[in-house]
Amino acid sequence: MRLRLLLPGSSASLHLFALLGLGGCCQAPPQWTELDPITVAVGVDVPVDLGVHATGDHLSFRAVADPGVELEVVGDMLHVTGVEGFDGYSTVTVTAEDQCGQTAESSLSVRVSDRARSDACVIRLTSSSTAGSVAVAGDFNDWSTTTDVMTRQDDGTFAIELQVPTGDYAYKLVEDGAWRCDPEEPAIVCDEGQTWLPDCPADGNACNSLLHVVDCDRTQLSVDRLSIDRSAAGVQVTASADRTPTAPWATLDGAPVEGWSGDTFSYSAAGLSRGRHTLRLGADGAEPLYIPFWLDDREWATGVMYFAFVDRFANGDPSIDGDEFADVDYAGGDWAGLRDRLDYLDELGVTVLWLTAPVDNAEGAFDGKCDSTYSAYHGYWPDGEGLEEHFGDDAELRALVDEAHARDMRVLVDWVGNHVHQDHDDYATRPEWFNDRYICDQDEDGDGVTNWDQRPETCWFTSYLPDYDYTQVDPLVESVDRAITMAKDYELDGFRIDAVKHMPHSVFVDTQARIAAEIEHTAAGGDEDFYTVGETFDGYDRIAAYLGDAELDAQFDFPLYWAVLGAFGRHEIGLSNGAGSLQAVSEASAAAYGGAVMSTFLGNHDVPRFLAHASGEVSSAYGDSPCGNDGLVSPDQPAGWAEPYERLRLAWAYLLTSPGLPLVYYGDEYGQPGYADPDNRQVMRFDDELSADEADTLEHVRRLGQARREHPAFALGTTVDWWENEADVWAYARAYGGDAVLVVLNRSDDERTLTNGLAFAGLPQGEWADVLTGATTTSTGDSLTVTVPARSARVLVPR
């Protein structure tokens, strides 16, 4: 018999009973185990097997419910469906009756949601809170503090099952009436005025947590275990699917591999080439898994990063050159030209290649500073998700990444997440995704403070660059998703993130959460670091505020940049003579960032070239105006005498023998001239285009770069001052893992001869060779004497 009763709003009962010979002798009455709470929705039938929760002789079941649900009992199965228009909790009382008429009751808590649809998925949230009561409030229940109350479990934790459509939702926990973010959820979204507080204090002004609900109709794949064995050049991977996958597949570096058995994947390999590899797993209807790993022993800290400003580096394909008819326009550089010059970078000791943002940029000429017009040659005005046609096509970008990887170079690209160009489809179709139009360099409030400081996270850089409003879930999730998709698609190894202090912490927290889960697979044992380095043009505290395991791996060390420039380029501070010296700032930087592998630099695309400072052509350390009497100033020219290049070589000797990931901004390896932007972006020169001083400087950097690649002590280990307390001389030593280096810097106009001990600095006795000249010197017992010419350096390693 099959009975059906609709219960629109009052208590009702449904009785199914089979007479099965009452003459038998019954034992104990029926017994129930606890029925777990369920969530139901209109049109969604949720079956509950009563037979597994009740024991007794020849049981039959009946049920009665409070308003809000529709019931049907068929045999041992109870079918529960929500009634349209009801949103809340209902209770179903179920009765088990044995053949002797003995009965026992149990209750089933039912959450009814009129927001849940047939595409909704049941998700389970847990909390280890010690509060007396915990509720979940968020976008999915109109921030109600009473609709979704968690249930305390036997182990003392709290849990709740919610039926929520696929999507992303801001939420918080409500513990004994106090609001807090969920410390067990890594992703966040911050309302205006909220602060990222990772410890989620109760009633603190913390950002909201961000819940991602996957499409439960699609097969979900996960990495369960990942072990990268670099000593054996191998990898072991175990993965699984939440159901038996249809047409599962797997590839290693594009070649099919075996490993699927039912809903489990297992793969092990050894003796692979010591380079970069990518394992991908997938199935019909499933989001593929992406598992990249390197089998070399390179550390980010022991490398050298090169910023190849693509448009100005090398023209490899003149057929794609284009003119946007701007005063400052494209110069023809492209990915093909860069690919042709990878050997040049390899000779410099480059291990990390940073590329201009590859996404499509705005077409045309736009007003800018100095009454001049500008094209988007720099890559910071994105207007679409395709590739920039001035740089090349998809095949060319992939070839560049592949060939860089073949030379053991990691590849980073610029990620421009703060804004788009006004021609971007996001702004055309979803203008509500963007902040109100306050231009950053304007003083909207008339108080003498521009929007750079009044509204740093919401102002527009200029009138045609709309600024994303990341207090909204949709643009935040979409922007991060685009970045992660690009990283996976083009097999990138990191991001340089533009304009960090102009975006909320949520951008970096959510990006890192996705990286950890989908690229690094840290929870499964992965240890391959996808390097994120940010640009925050500021001081120690502001820079450090965005660092940590949950945000950025690193930032560019601007305080150290000013010190390097002041010590070598402008001679405004001393080398090792106490407070304010390069030695003191180096120590301060080492202490300021919590051990992060910061990127150090002596120039980039936002500041005048080092050589312009060293030549005395720039009056301010922060750069002079690029505007002349009629538009932009005339381009800077190479220095005509030796000393500016000697200063540059000293700066490189320091930077390339110091901790961090040193950056070479294209052309600085030989002394490219240039005033402030845009003059600091002149076209790269090579080979016989260089002067004798430039060629000597290039060779100097090559030797340092190659030595850094071979000597971990250039970057790792404790720095010991070997000679100090002088404005014009500083020497320091470092030992690490059997390797050692002694660096002597002399910026004075006189030759200097220094003698000191070795053991106190952890250095070995014996013969030492200068990586710059090849000259050798031998210690006398524990004493070593080093002679350094004027405005020169010695970089000694033991032979």
Side-chain angles (χ1 to χ4, degrees):
M1 179 182 294
R2 178 181 174 94
L3 301 178
R4 178 178 177 85
L5 180 62
L6 176 66
L7 309 177
S10 62
S11 224
S13 67
L14 189 132
H15 182 201
L16 179 66
F17 187 66
L19 297 178
L20 299 173
L22 298 180
C25 181
C26 298
Q27 303 299 317
Q31 299 290 321
W32 285 96
T33 59
E34 184 178 358
L35 291 166
D36 294 329
I38 64 171
T39 300
V40 301
V42 177
V44 179
D45 176 9
V46 177
V48 179
D49 188 348
L50 301 178
V52 303
H53 293 279
T55 58
D57 295 326
H58 299 93
L59 296 180
S60 61
F61 299 97
R62 59 183 180 268
V64 61
D66 290 341
V69 295
E70 178 181 304
L71 300 179
E72 184 177 24
V73 176
V74 180
D76 290 351
M77 300 302 297
L78 170 68
H79 296 265
V80 187
T81 305
V83 173
E84 186 172 2
F86 186 89
D87 190 354
Y89 284 89
S90 182
T91 299
V92 176
T93 301
V94 291
T95 300
E97 184 172 351
D98 65 19
Q99 63 183 0
C100 299
Q102 300 180 103
T103 62
E105 291 185 348
S106 184
S107 62
L108 171 66
S109 177
V110 182
R111 169 72 175 95
V112 185
S113 174
D114 66 356
R115 67 180 179 270
R117 307 189 305 265
S118 60
D119 64 345
C121 298
V122 176
I123 59 170
R124 182 178 176 86
L125 294 180
T126 61
S127 172
S128 57
S129 171
T130 59
S133 66
V134 181
V136 185
D139 290 336
F140 44 79
N141 65 5
D142 295 326
W143 293 93
S144 169
T145 61
T146 59
T147 300
D148 293 316
V149 179
M150 304 182 88
T151 302
R152 190 182 294 275
Q153 307 298 293
D154 291 341
D155 63 359
T157 63
F158 289 86
I160 191 171
E161 288 188 350
L162 303 173
Q163 190 161 1
V164 185
T166 299
D168 298 273
Y169 304 89
Y171 76 99
K172 271 195 166 81
L173 301 180
V174 185
E175 301 178 348
D176 293 336
W179 295 75
R180 68 179 300 201
C181 54
D182 185 350
E184 298 175 29
E185 171 54 59
I188 63 172
V189 58
C190 305
D191 291 341
E192 185 175 358
Q194 288 183 337
T195 304
W196 182 56
L197 302 171
D199 55 346
C200 293
D203 273 348
N205 190 32
C207 299
N208 303 314
S209 298
L210 184 60
L211 175 67
H212 177 64
V213 181
V214 301
D215 184 351
C216 54
D217 290 332
R218 298 182 62 185
T219 300
Q220 302 298 322
L221 308 179
S222 60
V223 178
D224 302 320
R225 182 174 179 272
L226 172 60
S227 176
I228 305 169
D229 186 351
R230 293 179 179 84
S231 62
V235 66
Q236 291 183 328
V237 178
T238 302
S240 60
D242 66 347
R243 67 204 74 183
T244 302
T246 302
W249 55 266
T251 62
L252 179 64
D253 301 329
V257 295
E258 299 296 325
W260 279 105
S261 177
D263 59 3
T264 301
F265 175 84
S266 181
Y267 179 77
S268 178
L272 300 173
S273 62
R274 293 191 176 276
R276 191 187 195 277
H277 300 276
T278 302
L279 183 66
R280 296 180 187 266
L281 315 177
D284 284 356
E287 180 69 24
L289 294 178
Y290 169 74
I291 308 172
F293 55 96
W294 285 84
L295 294 178
D296 61 8
D297 57 1
R298 174 63 54 201
E299 298 182 50
W300 291 98
T302 61
V304 175
M305 180 160 64
Y306 192 95
F307 181 19
F309 197 92
V310 172
D311 178 65
R312 303 302 163 89
F313 189 74
N315 190 340
D317 185 2
S319 70
I320 61 173
D321 292 354
D323 193 339
E324 301 295 339
F325 305 101
D327 297 323
V328 182
D329 212 336
Y330 285 92
D334 49 41
W335 296 321
L338 179 52
R339 187 157 62 97
D340 290 342
R341 292 286 183 173
L342 287 177
D343 285 343
Y344 169 88
L345 300 180
D346 197 30
E347 291 171 358
L348 276 178
V350 170
T351 63
V352 181
L353 179 59
W354 162 18
L355 304 176
T356 305
V359 298
D360 194 26
N361 267 246
E363 298 178 356
F366 298 87
D367 292 338
K369 55 194 171 187
C370 308
D371 296 321
S372 299
T373 58
Y374 297 76
S375 71
Y377 69 94
H378 42 65
Y380 293 110
W381 297 349
D383 76 342
E385 300 312 309
L387 298 178
E388 176 49 55
E389 68 274 10
H390 288 90
F391 297 161
D393 58 17
D394 179 85
E396 192 59 59
L397 178 56
R398 293 183 189 279
L400 172 58
V401 173
D402 287 347
E403 293 191 23
H405 284 161
R407 290 170 171 78
D408 294 333
M409 296 179 191
R410 276 70 168 163
V411 179
L412 277 65
V413 301
D414 246 313
W415 176 38
V416 184
N418 177 69
H419 58 266
V420 294
H421 191 271
Q422 64 187 11
D423 294 340
H424 197 287
D425 184 63
D426 280 358
Y427 188 61
T429 61
R430 287 165 284 197
E432 70 277 5
W433 277 15
F434 296 86
N435 288 304
D436 293 339
R437 187 178 177 274
Y438 291 97
I439 308 305
C440 290
D441 63 3
Q442 295 180 3
D443 176 12
E444 299 286 342
D445 303 325
D447 58 0
V449 181
T450 68
N451 291 322
W452 286 115
D453 295 313
Q454 291 274 27
R455 301 174 174 87
E457 292 183 2
T458 60
C459 66
W460 294 27
F461 285 6
T462 191
S463 61
Y464 44 82
L465 297 179
D467 187 89
Y468 278 116
D469 177 6
Y470 285 132
T471 65
Q472 300 182 52
V473 170
D474 288 346
L476 173 62
V477 171
E478 180 66 22
S479 291
V480 172
D481 187 67
R482 289 170 180 169
I484 298 300
T485 298
M486 179 171 61
K488 293 178 180 179
D489 192 12
Y490 289 98
E491 304 204 348
L492 305 176
D493 304 290
F495 287 136
R496 181 268 185 184
I497 302 179
D498 185 54
V500 165
K501 68 180 180 181
H502 299 291
M503 293 182 280
H505 286 273
S506 56
V507 175
F508 318 113
V509 172
D510 295 359
T511 300
Q512 182 55 45
R514 294 280 305 272
I515 289 170
E518 301 175 36
I519 298 177
E520 297 172 338
H521 304 288
T522 52
D527 64 355
E528 188 62 66
D529 187 24
F530 183 94
Y531 185 70
T532 53
V533 55
E535 179 249 351
T536 301
F537 204 126
D538 217 306
Y540 287 124
D541 291 344
R542 194 71 174 274
I543 291 172
Y546 299 91
L547 298 174
D549 292 340
E551 287 197 83
L552 301 178
D553 293 320
Q555 294 229 60
F556 291 97
D557 192 345
F558 276 90
L560 185 61
Y561 160 72
W562 302 120
V564 172
L565 181 65
F568 298 113
R570 302 177 62 86
H571 284 201
E572 293 175 343
I573 66 171
L575 294 187
S576 65
N577 56 333
S581 68
L582 177 61
Q583 176 194 43
V585 176
S586 299
E587 293 171 354
S589 281
Y593 304 123
V597 181
M598 303 293 282
S599 183
T600 58
F601 62 102
L602 53 76
N604 65 27
H605 54 308
D606 292 325
V607 297
R609 291 281 186 171
F610 185 96
L611 202 76
H613 287 283
S615 302
E617 300 175 273
V618 182
S619 62
S620 168
Y622 298 97
D624 301 332
S625 171
C627 306
N629 295 327
D630 184 18
L632 293 163
V633 298
S634 299
D636 189 20
Q637 301 299 314
W641 70 105
E643 184 174 341
Y645 296 97
E646 293 170 337
R647 294 187 180 193
L648 177 58
R649 290 173 209 151
L650 274 169
W652 278 127
Y654 164 77
L655 207 70
L656 291 171
T657 60
S658 295
L661 178 61
L663 169 70
V664 180
Y665 175 47
Y666 85 98
D668 277 347
E669 65 267 33
Y670 60 76
Q672 179 88 314
Y675 301 125
D677 170 22
D679 192 47
N680 59 356
R681 305 171 182 184
Q682 295 183 24
V683 173
M684 179 80 173
R685 290 178 286 120
F686 296 96
D687 305 325
D688 57 4
E689 297 175 302
L690 304 182
S691 69
D693 285 321
E694 290 173 330
D696 288 346
T697 304
L698 174 60
E699 180 60 27
H700 175 90
V701 174
R702 280 176 175 161
R703 294 189 178 198
L704 286 169
Q706 291 170 6
R708 183 182 180 89
R709 189 162 56 185
E710 300 300 324
H711 290 277
F714 275 45
L716 304 176
T718 301
T719 302
V720 178
D721 293 312
W722 195 79
W723 195 278
E724 57 185 332
N725 298 319
E726 289 196 35
D728 292 332
V729 176
W730 181 27
Y732 50 86
R734 202 174 297 113
Y736 181 81
D739 188 34
V741 63
L742 173 63
V743 181
V744 185
L745 306 171
N746 176 22
R747 77 173 190 189
S748 75
D749 294 332
D750 301 311
E751 180 181 271
R752 293 293 303 273
T753 297
L754 312 177
T755 300
N756 206 346
L758 295 170
F760 84 95
L763 302 178
Q765 298 179 18
E767 187 177 27
W768 292 74
D770 180 14
V771 302
L772 297 173
T773 64
T776 62
T777 185
T778 303
S779 65
T780 302
D782 188 50
S783 178
L784 184 68
T785 297
V786 183
T787 298
V788 191
R791 299 184 298 279
S792 296
R794 289 289 178 261
V795 179
L796 304 175
V797 295
R799 297 190 65 171

